[in-house]
Amino acid sequence: MPQTKKFIIDFDSTFTQVEALDILGEISLAGDPNSNDKLQAIKDITDRGMEGSVNFRESLEQRLDILKANRQQIGDLISALKKKVSKSFERNREFLQENAEDIFIISNGFKDFIIPIVADYGINKGNVFANEFVYDENGQIVDFNRDNPLSKNNGKAETIKNLNLSGDIYVIGDGYTDYEIKASGLANKFYAFTENVHRPKVTSKADHVAPSFDEILYINKLNTKFSYPKSRIKVLLLENVHPIGVELLREEGYQVEVVSSALSEDELCEKIKNVSILGIRSKTNVTKRVLENANRLISIGAFCIGTNQIDLETCQEKGIAVFNAPFSNTRSVVEMAIAEIIFLMRNFFDKSVSMHQGKWDKSATGSFEIRGKKLGIVGYGNIGAQLSVLAENMGLNVFYYDIVEKLALGNATKIDSLEELLQTCDIISLHVDGRKENKCLIDAEKIKMMKKGAVLVNLSRGHVVEIPALKEALESGHLAGCAVDVFPEEPKNNSEPFVSELIGLPNTILTPHIGGSTLEAQENIARFVPGKIMEYINTGNTFNSVNFPNIQLPFLQNAHRLIHVHQNEPGVLAKINRILADYEINIVGQYLKTNEKIGYVITDIDKAYTEEAIQALKAIPGTIRFRILY
């Protein structure tokens, strides 16, 4: 960092995610019967002080009087605060350590807990200016050092004035007292830090609203670790993605917008223009037209198993990596399939509906055990294979058909054709993917091949079954029942009506696409998909991507990482290496993988790159996307 730049950083809600005295209150008031009221009073006083609507010294006196804390509890507070350092300061620990002499912590908090926290980040004790507790002989906090200028109004400005710092002074904080430094003419810029808290009265006074420390380093061209600040990565999450996924992406420093429903093509075309990461579930269609408007899109996360709703080919052409959750909801779907098979074979659904209508129909007619029956599984992937194991354990004889050669699990029997499977089995359960070739895989002709009295379960894709033909088979009695969780046309949200020809048919279980909708599955998906996207953005790792060549990379050590996505054509790697050689840049490690459409090259280099070298790499014919990680 140039020696002419000095950073003045606030502590509470800036360097840390929390107000330290609020946390101290939780510690000191534990067991107090009125602790909730007292803690709320402390928070209210803090907020009024931060916004400048109450005298600072008065607010400090009021809070300490409520706290009734002691020296031992300060130790507990330090332990708690070390876990609450703001994410963007954690990410830039190396920057803080390397530039410690030009970084100052000036806070209305207390040295007693501030110094032990910032010391872990290389910040000098002599560069910390804050209040000091006064203890009695029993270690009880009874007052604060009233001679310290930081215990008084406008104390930060007075402290900086006394320091007589030279060069440009940048103030980073979340409170009105931080703005006062700039207002006193003692700082060049005031950055309102909003990573943890947003105070409109403060942000309205700022030269720049900074959602993270990365942002401040970036706009001042001091960003040495990240080529692009995470705070500038915009994420759009649709269709009620689980809150864990939202929180993980926000914790990473991204700007996250959440929309509860799917969007139409027109809506998404408009919304996606400045989005870097898109998260969807099954109802949102990411078409070629949508992608043509996605000028900044880096990655798409499908918070589900299927990706047929995404134009993967266009994503490849634009260098957009797509990730899904191929295993996360497997168990949930399998359990639902088992339950529905039992319900259909026993006619439980219709019996239950009759009971709710006041009808008592105690009869064994059309009711069968599943033990010894033949289950035919169409599609022997993750879900089909696990269903095979559980079904066999329940006494079913399992048969399966898949266009890809798959190893049979347990005593399952592979059938060579779909037609033979349909003619053989009492129960057919569909677990195929959404590719176009699977449209109407089970059509009128295939349904006629099924055994009379068989049942059909579709938990795969809506377009796999020809609905009019299924309706006819149920009405004629050729099929004894069906369970359908997916439909060719589905409502975009819970407020739209559901329309289907299957409504009201006998022994027909209809569910609103909830095969994977368990809390366990949604939490697994919400952790898995963001993890893969963040790993891709941070390291270039594409393992588990559905449309990119899969590369699993070692951690980067003391090097810069260059990522080059290009059309799969001869000579690109040679051109990359020729440019690096021309600029005398040594390669530490290099990884290349291709598929039929694109090539993916990751190059680790051991010296700083020049802008000329980067422009030359971007200009290589066939380049789709170029990224610098470190």
Side-chain angles (χ1 to χ4, degrees):
M1 182 173 74
Q3 297 302 307
T4 55
K5 285 189 173 70
K6 304 285 192 299
F7 279 168
I8 307 296
I9 303 174
D10 182 35
F11 185 77
D12 292 294
S13 295
T14 297
F15 199 92
T16 58
Q17 302 168 33
V18 292
E19 291 287 328
L21 293 188
D22 291 354
I23 305 301
L24 181 58
E26 294 174 8
I27 295 168
S28 68
L29 296 172
D32 187 315
N34 299 314
S35 62
N36 288 340
D37 291 340
K38 291 180 179 181
L39 288 172
Q40 188 58 52
I42 291 170
K43 288 182 170 62
D44 291 343
I45 295 166
T46 298
D47 287 339
R48 291 199 299 271
M50 291 276 81
E51 292 173 354
S53 59
V54 69
N55 178 292
F56 173 72
R57 175 167 282 204
E58 183 182 345
S59 78
L60 188 55
E61 290 170 340
Q62 290 174 3
R63 285 180 288 169
L64 290 184
D65 184 57
I66 298 171
L67 284 169
K68 305 294 185 190
N70 59 51
R71 191 188 300 273
Q72 182 178 342
Q73 290 165 341
I74 298 300
D76 296 335
L77 173 62
I78 291 167
S79 297
L81 291 178
K82 285 191 174 187
K83 299 174 185 176
K84 294 289 186 180
V85 174
S86 296
K87 298 295 183 182
S88 63
F89 283 100
E90 281 188 358
R91 285 195 294 270
N92 291 283
R93 182 192 294 258
E94 186 178 326
F95 177 89
L96 296 170
Q97 291 170 336
E98 290 176 354
N99 301 282
E101 65 182 52
D102 293 321
I103 294 173
F104 297 80
I105 303 294
I106 297 184
S107 170
N108 293 122
F110 290 80
K111 288 183 179 180
D112 308 59
F113 54 76
I114 294 176
I115 289 174
I117 305 299
V118 301
D120 289 347
Y121 294 78
I123 296 172
N124 303 326
K125 178 179 179 180
N127 281 13
V128 177
F129 297 86
N131 282 299
E132 299 147 299
F133 287 126
V134 174
Y135 303 89
D136 65 15
E137 64 276 9
N138 297 317
Q140 195 74 21
I141 297 173
V142 293
D143 204 353
F144 50 88
N145 180 358
R146 292 176 178 265
D147 294 330
N148 189 323
L150 287 164
S151 71
K152 306 171 186 176
N153 296 334
N154 213 24
K156 289 188 176 182
E158 184 180 340
T159 299
I160 292 177
K161 186 176 181 180
N162 293 337
L163 284 174
N164 197 27
L165 298 175
S166 61
D168 294 337
I169 298 174
Y170 298 156
V171 176
I172 304 168
D174 67 287
Y176 196 82
T177 57
D178 304 301
Y179 160 68
E180 287 179 334
I181 300 170
K182 169 72 185 298
S184 300
L186 296 169
N188 299 79
K189 287 186 179 179
F190 166 54
Y191 295 97
F193 190 79
T194 60
E195 183 172 328
N196 306 309
V197 63
H198 185 279
R199 307 183 198 275
K201 190 172 180 181
V202 177
T203 56
S204 66
K205 302 287 188 180
D207 295 296
H208 189 91
V209 177
S212 70
F213 190 47
D214 309 305
E215 170 87 0
I216 295 166
L217 295 181
Y218 179 76
I219 63 176
N220 284 289
K221 299 183 178 178
L222 301 172
N223 183 304
T224 58
K225 185 171 177 59
F226 302 103
S227 60
Y228 193 72
K230 296 188 178 187
S231 59
R232 296 205 167 195
I233 292 179
K234 294 185 179 179
V235 181
L236 176 62
L237 299 179
L238 308 180
E239 303 183 67
N240 278 327
V241 166
H242 193 282
I244 286 176
V246 178
E247 185 60 27
L248 285 172
L249 291 162
R250 282 183 174 150
E251 283 184 359
E252 188 70 6
Y254 304 149
Q255 294 184 48
V256 181
E257 180 181 357
V258 177
V259 177
S260 60
S261 66
L263 296 179
S264 68
E265 185 179 53
D266 286 343
E267 290 171 327
L268 192 51
C269 282
E270 182 61 32
K271 201 84 169 168
I272 205 168
K273 288 179 179 177
N274 295 314
V275 169
S276 301
I277 299 168
L278 174 66
I280 63 169
R281 293 174 71 185
S282 57
K283 292 186 178 69
T284 300
N285 289 310
V286 185
T287 63
K288 184 180 182 70
R289 180 170 162 245
V290 168
L291 292 167
E292 285 170 350
N293 285 274
N295 301 319
R296 296 186 178 181
L297 198 60
I298 301 170
S299 182
I300 297 174
F303 286 73
C304 52
I305 294 177
T307 55
N308 60 294
Q309 71 276 38
I310 303 169
D311 186 336
L312 297 177
E313 188 171 336
T314 301
C315 284
Q316 272 192 341
E317 292 169 359
K318 291 178 68 68
I320 300 165
V322 179
F323 297 89
N324 68 339
F327 317 109
S328 299
N329 67 1
T330 299
R331 178 69 186 202
S332 296
V333 177
V334 169
E335 287 186 4
M336 184 168 176
I338 292 286
E340 292 190 327
I341 287 168
I342 294 172
F343 263 58
L344 291 172
M345 295 298 286
R346 296 289 296 275
N347 203 13
F348 281 160
F349 180 72
D350 284 0
K351 297 283 188 186
S352 178
V353 170
S354 295
M355 290 288 284
H356 281 283
Q357 295 171 349
K359 300 175 184 176
W360 182 271
D361 180 18
K362 189 178 188 316
S363 169
T365 304
S367 181
F368 304 94
E369 290 184 350
I370 63 170
R371 180 176 53 176
K373 301 301 184 294
K374 295 177 181 178
L375 169 63
I377 299 174
V378 183
Y380 206 64
N382 298 319
I383 293 173
Q386 189 168 143
L387 174 60
S388 170
V389 173
L390 267 65
E392 185 180 325
N393 286 336
M394 298 185 73
L396 285 152
N397 297 318
V398 179
F399 301 82
Y400 72 92
Y401 168 74
D402 199 300
I403 59 173
V404 178
E405 189 67 33
K406 296 287 181 70
L407 175 67
L409 300 180
N411 295 313
T413 301
K414 181 180 182 296
I415 299 294
D416 292 330
S417 72
L418 175 60
E419 290 77 10
E420 184 183 351
L421 186 83
L422 297 175
Q423 293 164 2
T424 301
C425 296
D426 306 298
I427 305 153
I428 299 295
S429 192
L430 306 177
H431 301 285
V432 298
D433 61 30
R435 69 186 69 184
K436 294 175 184 178
E437 294 81 0
N438 285 332
K439 183 174 182 180
C440 290
L441 179 70
I442 307 299
D443 56 12
E445 181 183 353
K446 296 293 193 308
I447 289 174
K448 287 176 183 176
M449 292 180 185
M450 293 175 65
K451 294 171 67 173
K452 181 174 174 56
V455 299
L456 177 68
V457 176
N458 184 19
L459 304 180
S460 59
R461 299 292 183 274
H463 66 254
V464 170
V465 178
E466 186 181 338
I467 298 299
L470 176 59
K471 177 186 178 184
E472 183 181 338
L474 291 165
E475 289 178 330
S476 69
H478 178 66
L479 294 185
C482 73
V484 181
D485 187 50
V486 287
F487 304 87
E489 301 290 333
E490 296 182 359
K492 287 187 172 62
N493 53 55
N494 291 344
S495 63
E496 288 189 10
F498 167 67
V499 179
S500 174
E501 296 176 63
L502 300 177
I503 291 175
L505 294 178
N507 202 21
T508 297
I509 302 172
L510 305 179
T511 50
H513 205 144
I514 55 171
S517 296
T518 62
L519 289 178
E520 293 89 347
Q522 293 306 304
E523 287 183 12
N524 289 338
I525 292 169
R527 294 184 190 280
F528 185 86
V529 176
K532 289 299 173 185
I533 290 173
M534 291 186 292
E535 194 175 353
Y536 169 64
I537 290 174
N538 292 340
T539 72
N541 197 332
T542 56
F543 192 68
N544 284 126
S545 170
V546 297
N547 70 326
F548 262 43
N550 277 206
I551 295 181
Q552 193 159 19
L553 297 160
F555 288 106
L556 184 61
Q557 298 289 339
N558 301 318
H560 302 281
R561 179 162 282 174
L562 312 178
I563 291 182
H564 195 276
V565 185
H566 56 269
Q567 296 168 7
N568 186 7
E569 53 189 44
V572 175
L573 182 61
K575 292 171 184 174
I576 290 172
N577 291 341
R578 189 177 304 121
I579 290 169
L580 295 175
D582 289 344
Y583 285 91
E584 298 182 344
I585 298 174
N586 185 52
I587 297 173
V588 177
Q590 195 166 53
Y591 316 89
L592 165 66
K593 203 162 186 181
T594 62
N595 60 24
E596 66 277 5
K597 293 264 179 140
I598 64 171
Y600 187 62
V601 179
I602 296 177
T603 306
D604 294 345
I605 59 176
D606 66 357
K607 64 175 287 187
Y609 44 81
T610 64
E611 182 60 28
E612 291 80 8
I614 298 308
Q615 292 305 319
L617 290 167
K618 289 180 178 179
I620 292 173
T623 297
I624 296 172
R625 186 186 291 273
F626 181 83
R627 241 179 1 119
I628 306 165
L629 293 189
Y630 308 111

